[in-house]
Amino acid sequence: MSIGTIHGVGLGPGAADLMSVRADRLVRAARHVAYFRKAGRRGHARTIVDGMLRDDVVEFPMDYPVTTEIDFTDPRYNECLSAFYATCTAHILSLVQGGEDVVVLCEGDPFFYGSFMHLHSRLKDHAPVAVVPGITGMSGAWTASGAPITWGDDVLTVAMATLPEDELTRRIAETDALVVMKIGRHLPKLRRAIAAAGREGQAWLIEHAAQAAERVRPLAEVEDAPAPYFSIALIHGQGRRP
């Protein structure tokens, strides 16, 4: 029996009509579909493809064992997630070794800060793996803001709000254009870093970009409560233009 293929399919930021033609074709034809989700939730990736899956699809939801319950600096965090990814890999590998293709649904782009990367590194030497790129959440965010993120020779920095505050401040101060992800409970720290870099009047917060609940506000007008999971902060570049 020939071996199957694992397809890491980028679904884009949240709207089904922002998927590529290739992604749409693979999702609709898939017999086996896998996707990550928080335990007890349907999962954003699965929600995007609602109504697209064939009637006899076999779903493999991969429930994260931890999300924010253990700090990522705690050794237990990596131990727990490593065991989780190993279990997911073993199941998917058993399917493709039996001749089945498997589509792994990926929010945004599979190779941009996504969980699929951890499967890819474990699977690529044992089975064929194909990746379908997708529109990133940050692209959806700056489109929602209504302004270009970069001009001319602007340097764009993508930073995580989980960085230490002094490192975050330095990177904000040194770049022309900025995208900040993984904000959540780090919003007050991000505010302080942006203020320390002297750029508080330039920052925006985009929530749920390209989704029904999309919201665009100057960061200065946002309350200090934890930001929603799908939140991205932006500072637009102001570089060279004709």
Side-chain angles (χ1 to χ4, degrees):
M1 183 178 293
S2 61
I3 193 168
T5 298
I6 301 120
H7 298 272
V9 177
L11 303 179
D17 58 356
L18 290 179
M19 291 169 54
S20 68
V21 173
R22 184 182 301 178
D24 184 281
R25 173 176 55 81
L26 285 167
V27 167
R28 292 183 186 276
R31 172 82 168 93
H32 292 273
V33 170
Y35 49 89
F36 292 98
R37 68 181 184 184
K38 186 173 182 177
R41 304 282 183 86
R42 189 178 197 195
H44 185 55
R46 177 60 181 82
T47 299
I48 293 173
V49 303
D50 192 35
M52 297 175 63
L53 304 181
R54 50 193 267 186
D55 292 339
D56 63 344
V57 69
V58 179
E59 300 186 34
F60 177 47
M62 297 175 284
D63 295 346
Y64 293 113
V66 292
T67 49
T68 58
E69 296 85 356
I70 303 175
D71 191 272
F72 70 90
T73 60
D74 189 318
R76 295 175 299 162
Y77 183 87
N78 272 350
E79 291 170 6
C80 195
L81 282 181
S82 291
F84 163 66
Y85 287 125
T87 299
C88 296
T89 298
H91 179 74
I92 293 172
L93 195 56
S94 71
L95 292 173
V96 296
Q97 287 176 338
E100 301 283 354
D101 292 341
V102 179
V103 166
V104 182
L105 306 177
C106 308
E107 300 161 16
D109 182 274
F111 276 176
F112 189 71
Y113 296 110
S115 297
F116 176 75
M117 297 185 296
H118 302 292
L119 295 182
H120 180 268
S121 64
R122 291 167 168 82
L123 287 164
K124 63 183 179 64
D125 295 329
H126 304 285
V129 182
V131 176
V132 180
I135 297 172
T136 62
M138 65 179 183
S139 180
W142 63 59
T143 300
S145 77
I149 190 65
T150 51
W151 293 85
D153 302 321
D154 278 337
V155 173
L156 170 65
T157 295
V158 180
M160 302 299 110
T162 53
L163 286 170
E165 189 169 332
D166 57 347
E167 177 71 4
L168 196 55
T169 301
R170 180 182 69 81
R171 291 184 180 272
I172 294 168
E174 292 178 353
T175 196
D176 301 308
L178 177 74
V179 170
V180 182
M181 303 170 61
K182 298 184 180 179
I183 300 172
R185 59 188 173 84
H186 301 281
L187 180 57
K189 177 177 69 174
L190 175 60
R191 282 183 186 281
R192 293 193 301 269
I194 289 174
R199 307 188 71 175
E200 58 266 60
Q202 304 169 34
W204 294 79
L205 186 73
I206 319 298
E207 301 172 4
H208 303 286
Q211 301 173 41
E214 180 179 280
R215 192 178 189 187
V216 180
R217 291 180 289 170
L219 186 62
E221 297 178 7
V222 177
E223 60 280 359
D224 261 343
Y229 179 78
F230 293 104
S231 296
I232 290 177
L234 301 177
I235 292 178
H236 299 83
Q238 301 297 324
R240 174 179 51 81
R241 61 193 81 180

